[in-house]
Amino acid sequence: MEKGSNVYTPRFCTVTISEVFADRQAACEAGYTEPTHYHKDGWGIAGRARNTTDMRFAAYRE
């Protein structure tokens, strides 16, 4: 998984990865707390809302 990848998630459909983290805790500390319910090949994806119309997504190793 790398920055710029497009991934289909159960909650948000297709998202673009903005950041990649070593683990879930690092992603949470950076503000990525919204679950996407994506868990595949040792990766998870979480989101964060920048404002009411803009979400960013990060991948993390599980």
Side-chain angles (χ1 to χ4, degrees):
M1 188 88 51
E2 58 188 46
K3 187 176 178 178
S5 298
N6 290 319
V7 181
Y8 183 85
T9 69
R11 183 173 176 197
F12 293 100
C13 296
T14 302
V15 303
T16 301
I17 302 302
S18 297
E19 295 187 63
V20 178
F21 294 95
D23 57 32
R24 173 82 174 148
Q25 182 177 348
C28 285
E29 289 171 1
Y32 292 94
T33 58
E34 285 294 321
T36 64
H37 308 294
Y38 178 93
H39 305 281
K40 186 175 181 183
D41 299 328
W43 289 96
I45 296 176
R48 75 172 180 189
R50 293 185 58 186
N51 57 47
T52 57
T53 61
D54 188 18
M55 288 283 292
R56 298 285 185 213
F57 297 90
Y60 59 88
R61 281 278 185 194
E62 294 191 303

